[in-house]
Amino acid sequence: MYVRDAKNRDEVWLLDSLEELGLDDGSFRSRDYVIALDEESGEKAGFGRIRVHKTDEPFCELTCVGVSERWRGQGVGAHVVERLVDRAAAEAFDTVYGFTSDHGYCAQFGFEAVDAEDLPEGPRQRLDRVREVDGDAIALRLDREAFSMPERLRERFKVAAPASAGDAEPELTAEDFGYDEETPTKYSTNLRR
């Protein structure tokens, strides 16, 4: 399992995954995402985005973190978060914000709740927009040096595997496309002579 920057070819999967998980990314750009992949199968397991808000005082937001159901509980999301924090640091941001009602998950990495009135103007306005969709959202702040990866999540990630192969999407057959292999067509390779 590893995490890499998203590529243009990942756009369809990202958009489908965002929709499936009910995440809204009103300003989608695949290059802002990272993706967790299984090294052996190449299966995509999770994703997340770092969003830079170019206001008078630019700030960085960790957003749209999601893990496919088959890969949950194995440290995939944690490693996506770690990669996003590293990207924020590479873009010279010492502080990363998050706006969510799922603050318990983020707390394990060092994110701390911040009262709305203690936020700079840009993050406060972003919190207001997020609350229009998620009324329970709070602001979280992480100082880059405070990030910590729980060892249990690091160990789970090393041996991560999908929950069960039986949950995978079924392989499509010719019948799924309305093609009956028994009926010959001019394109058939199974014509009997």
Side-chain angles (χ1 to χ4, degrees):
M1 185 64 65
Y2 68 100
V3 180
R4 66 158 169 80
D5 291 344
K7 300 178 184 333
N8 286 341
R9 67 177 182 256
D10 299 317
E11 283 186 11
V12 172
W13 181 82
L14 280 167
L15 289 167
D16 288 346
S17 296
L18 286 165
E19 183 178 346
E20 180 182 314
L21 296 175
L23 298 173
D24 180 31
D25 187 357
S27 58
F28 178 82
R29 292 181 348 169
S30 63
R31 68 177 178 250
D32 295 338
Y33 281 85
V34 298
I35 295 177
L37 296 108
D38 179 43
E39 289 177 82
E40 293 176 21
S41 69
E43 181 179 351
K44 296 173 181 100
F47 58 91
R49 178 180 184 205
I50 201 80
R51 182 175 180 191
V52 175
H53 295 269
K54 297 181 179 179
T55 59
D56 290 340
E57 293 180 37
F59 67 97
C60 189
E61 174 188 6
L62 185 137
T63 185
C64 294
V65 175
V67 176
S68 299
E69 196 168 325
R70 294 170 13 104
W71 291 93
R72 290 187 185 155
Q74 300 184 65
V76 173
H79 282 77
V80 166
V81 169
E82 181 178 45
R83 179 67 178 260
L84 293 172
V85 170
D86 289 345
R87 282 186 68 183
E91 294 190 33
F93 287 96
D94 292 328
T95 303
V96 177
Y97 289 94
F99 308 97
T100 182
S101 55
D102 192 8
H103 46 84
Y105 179 76
C106 297
Q108 67 186 327
F109 306 113
F111 281 86
E112 295 181 346
V114 181
D115 289 331
E117 52 275 353
D118 293 333
L119 290 169
E121 182 66 24
R124 186 173 46 244
Q125 289 177 354
R126 176 66 179 148
L127 175 60
D128 291 342
R129 285 192 301 276
V130 170
R131 282 183 172 166
E132 291 172 6
V133 177
D134 181 0
D136 295 328
I138 65 169
L140 301 167
R141 178 174 46 217
L142 173 75
D143 292 324
R144 182 173 75 203
E145 293 81 29
F147 178 83
S148 66
M149 171 70 74
E151 192 58 34
R152 65 185 164 72
L153 297 176
R154 193 167 303 285
E155 292 303 315
R156 286 183 196 165
F157 189 71
K158 289 177 184 177
V159 295
S164 77
D167 294 338
E169 289 186 25
E171 188 174 322
L172 296 175
T173 66
E175 290 178 357
D176 293 322
F177 297 99
Y179 176 71
D180 177 9
E181 292 183 3
E182 298 300 315
T183 305
T185 68
K186 70 179 189 177
Y187 301 108
S188 294
T189 57
N190 60 351
L191 292 177
R192 296 180 184 97
R193 297 182 195 234

